[in-house]
Amino acid sequence: MTLGNSYNLREVHRGTWCLGLDTSGKRLVVVGLGYVGVPVAAKFAEAGLQVTGIDIVERKVELINKGTCPFTGDEPGLADLLEKMVRNGRLNATTDYSVIQHADYVLIVVETPFDLRSREPYYKALRSACKSIGKNLRSGTLVVVESTVAPGTTNNIVRPILEAESGLKAGEDFFLATAPERVMPGKLLHNITYLDRNIGGINPESTGRALELYSLIAKGNLHPTDAITAEVVKTTENAYRDVQIAFANEIALLCENIGVDVYEVRELVNKLEDRHMLMPGAGVGGHCLPKDSWLLAFGTRGKHEPKLIAVAREINDGMPRHMSELCESALREAGRGVYGSRITILGLAYLRNTDDTRNSPAFPLIKALEVLGAIPTVHDPYVREANGIKPLADLDEAIEGSDCIAIVTEHSQYYDLDLDHVKSLMRTPIIVDGRKVVDKEECIKKGFIFRGIGR
Ligand code: SAJ
């Protein structure tokens, strides 16, 4: 059985690349010009396709048509590649969906935010994009969903909207696949180019066409599968990491209560070559881990209620509160209540040496301390402002007169703290270490009251 005029079904499923796509005259449209859409548009333009980006935000369209990246952040190679592709006429942007009428490929890369309270994805942008794409879809086009979605979304939400709006049949008149993105801030072009990618079509023909398209830009391996499997893999790979971190946090809490150092336990456990215990810490932030477990669970609602990944989320979400309890315990030992105490939070970003504060554990910690009447002061060398909080950039200013330092993010700067100097600035010498940044024995020797996750 062959797929169209250039695929062999067996080859596709053996995972061999469908090399040799003739890009001449082929047009690709990227719907959604965010931190995934912009680099992927630039990469396909560089591969020889004529690329048009669509976004509803006119400012983004204007910036891209000037060859300027519409978002900030240090992204190696992106600004130059984008400028070159626009200057060479290979890439442009518009708000007009009618360009899809001439497209051979359409990538859906719109935001798919997740409401952590209701634990439901927010698909307004996805549904709207599918409606507009469907209205302009022509026979023979391949549509690929890159956004991270709950398992079943491509088949049960994207497909019906595209078919209803176009009057075409998915898998026959047009083709539909999902190729979940695996980008990370600071490594957008790198990850798009070098990370393996799962390509899941609603049928083998769609998978084959998507494999051929991505073989234009991918230097990592392409793994053919079906749409829902690709969606499950994407959410599972992050749920897996979240569970691993929750395990480390569980062992940390256990060790605290029996006076054992969890980091020594971790080091000795990991001496076994097939053990890889991750690091416990003040909490789990970011754009991926806090939501992907719930996306996975949302995809199985009514069929299977995951227990382990739900408990893992509860453990990880409980770590900021635990940090607050450690601060309270240390202040009590110093004869102070939390009420009215000045607490210095070191690190607002969710990840070391970045300015990314999405779902940072610092936010719930600050809130918990404020509820107890503490007066938090936040320091972060990278973050200028987030959620109304403007961290101090000067460390001495942030520590001056403090009753407790809580280390939330392992920014490199914090590993060089001069403890004698820090103590001289503080009103009450207390350190609560959420990331194993300072040495417990050294702190105690220098007269600090010490608490630490897992120690
Ligand atoms: N964290 C821990 N202990 C650990 C590792 C992380 O507490 O051992 C915390 C971090 O402090 C942070 C949060 O978890 O608050 C997330 O950290 P992360 O290292 O997982 O970084 P992310 O959120 O940027 O995760 C991304 C994911 N990549 C994609 O979704 C494409 C994840 O799948 C990757 O494993 C991870 O990057 C990576 O580091 O490669």
Side-chain angles (χ1 to χ4, degrees):
M1 175 187 170
T2 60
L3 297 165
N5 58 3
S6 55
Y7 307 106
N8 174 300
L9 183 58
R10 281 188 301 285
E11 273 186 359
V12 164
H13 278 288
R14 236 192 350 259
T16 53
W17 291 1
C18 308
L19 292 172
L21 177 70
D22 171 11
T23 60
S24 55
K26 292 279 190 343
R27 305 182 69 84
L28 177 135
V29 171
V30 176
V31 178
L33 296 173
Y35 66 91
V36 180
V38 169
V40 81
K43 285 299 289 180
F44 275 113
E46 185 187 42
L49 295 178
Q50 187 62 41
V51 179
T52 300
I54 293 179
D55 203 288
I56 57 173
V57 177
E58 292 208 13
R59 180 69 184 134
K60 282 188 189 177
V61 168
E62 284 164 23
L63 285 169
I64 285 177
N65 285 330
K66 287 179 189 158
T68 306
C69 187
F71 52 80
T72 57
D74 176 19
E75 291 298 341
L78 180 58
D80 292 346
L81 180 60
L82 177 66
E83 190 278 329
K84 184 180 170 190
M85 292 299 109
V86 172
R87 176 162 38 84
N88 293 348
R90 303 216 60 77
L91 170 60
N92 73 315
T94 179
T95 57
D96 179 2
Y97 273 86
S98 66
V99 294
I100 286 172
Q101 292 166 21
H102 313 290
D104 300 285
Y105 307 102
V106 178
L107 306 189
I108 301 176
V109 204
V110 295
E111 59 158 7
T112 50
F114 196 81
D115 183 331
L116 289 173
R117 278 182 303 281
S118 68
R119 294 180 184 168
E120 293 198 353
Y122 190 59
Y123 281 159
K124 183 170 181 284
L126 179 67
R127 291 174 185 276
S128 169
C130 289
K131 212 172 169 67
S132 302
I133 293 166
K135 284 184 168 54
N136 293 283
L137 195 58
R138 69 184 174 99
S139 281
T141 302
L142 167 66
V143 180
V144 182
V145 179
E146 282 213 8
S147 305
T148 300
V149 292
T153 300
T154 300
N155 265 309
N156 305 328
I157 292 182
V158 174
R159 176 179 185 162
I161 296 173
L162 292 178
E163 288 183 326
E165 294 298 332
S166 66
L168 299 174
K169 181 101 177 79
E172 293 171 26
D173 301 325
F174 70 94
F175 303 97
L176 178 59
T178 178
E181 50 80 13
R182 283 176 161 163
V183 299
M184 279 176 64
K187 298 160 76 174
L188 296 180
L189 283 184
H190 174 275
N191 283 19
I192 287 170
T193 307
Y194 294 104
L195 286 195
D196 281 17
R197 194 144 194 165
N198 300 308
I199 308 279
I202 60 163
N203 65 347
E205 173 83 24
S206 300
T207 306
R209 288 167 181 261
L211 276 168
E212 181 181 52
L213 174 64
Y214 281 87
S215 61
L216 288 177
I217 62 169
K219 291 190 169 61
N221 297 311
L222 297 177
H223 304 292
T225 182
D226 58 73
I228 191 164
T229 300
E231 291 163 337
V232 171
V233 169
K234 169 64 187 176
T235 47
T236 296
E237 67 194 30
N238 284 335
Y240 174 74
R241 185 169 174 83
D242 197 52
V243 167
Q244 285 182 303
I245 296 168
F247 177 80
N249 285 331
E250 169 96 281
I251 300 303
L253 297 172
L254 174 154
C255 286
E256 277 178 38
N257 286 303
I258 57 172
V260 169
D261 183 325
V262 73
Y263 298 99
E264 184 180 357
V265 168
R266 173 180 178 271
E267 187 185 345
L268 295 177
V269 164
N270 288 352
K271 296 283 187 201
L272 288 172
E273 63 181 22
D274 59 350
R275 296 294 188 277
H276 310 289
M277 188 171 155
L278 293 186
M279 291 286 275
V284 174
H287 182 57
C288 311
L289 273 57
K291 72 174 173 60
D292 285 3
S293 295
W294 296 128
L295 266 180
L296 179 58
F298 185 80
T300 67
R301 268 201 326 188
K303 300 186 181 76
H304 175 76
E305 292 300 322
K307 297 181 183 63
L308 177 61
I309 61 177
V311 168
R313 286 276 71 236
E314 188 184 327
I315 291 170
N316 289 338
D317 280 350
M319 296 313 285
R321 188 172 53 251
H322 183 62
M323 282 290 287
S324 165
E325 289 159 1
L326 291 176
C327 293
E328 204 174 348
S329 152
L331 285 162
R332 201 179 311 115
E333 184 180 328
R336 288 191 65 89
V338 180
Y339 191 87
S341 289
R342 283 196 55 189
I343 298 181
T344 302
I345 306 290
L346 295 191
L348 191 58
Y350 88 89
L351 200 61
R352 77 190 81 73
N353 302 335
T354 75
D355 65 352
D356 195 335
T357 60
R358 288 173 294 181
N359 297 311
S360 171
F363 294 119
L365 170 59
I366 291 163
K367 194 167 184 58
L369 292 170
E370 285 174 335
V371 165
L372 294 170
I375 304 157
T377 300
V378 182
H379 175 272
D380 193 295
Y382 299 92
V383 178
R384 290 291 150 260
E385 189 274 334
N387 297 7
I389 296 173
K390 291 185 179 174
L392 294 175
D394 182 292
L395 197 50
D396 282 10
E397 186 185 350
I399 293 174
E400 179 76 40
S402 179
D403 296 305
C404 174
I405 287 176
I407 303 174
V408 176
T409 316
E410 65 274 42
H411 289 318
S412 301
Q413 177 181 3
Y414 302 145
Y415 286 89
D416 304 327
L417 286 176
D418 172 342
L419 294 177
D420 293 317
H421 176 61
V422 165
K423 186 163 181 265
S424 71
L425 292 172
M426 296 182 79
R427 180 168 68 175
T428 317
I430 293 176
I431 287 188
V432 176
D433 188 355
R435 298 285 178 192
K436 192 176 185 290
V437 168
V438 293
D439 181 280
K440 173 179 177 179
E441 281 62 41
E442 191 189 359
C443 286
I444 293 169
K445 198 165 67 180
K446 290 185 180 292
F448 285 88
I449 293 174
F450 177 86
R451 294 291 187 279
I453 298 281
R455 289 190 280 175

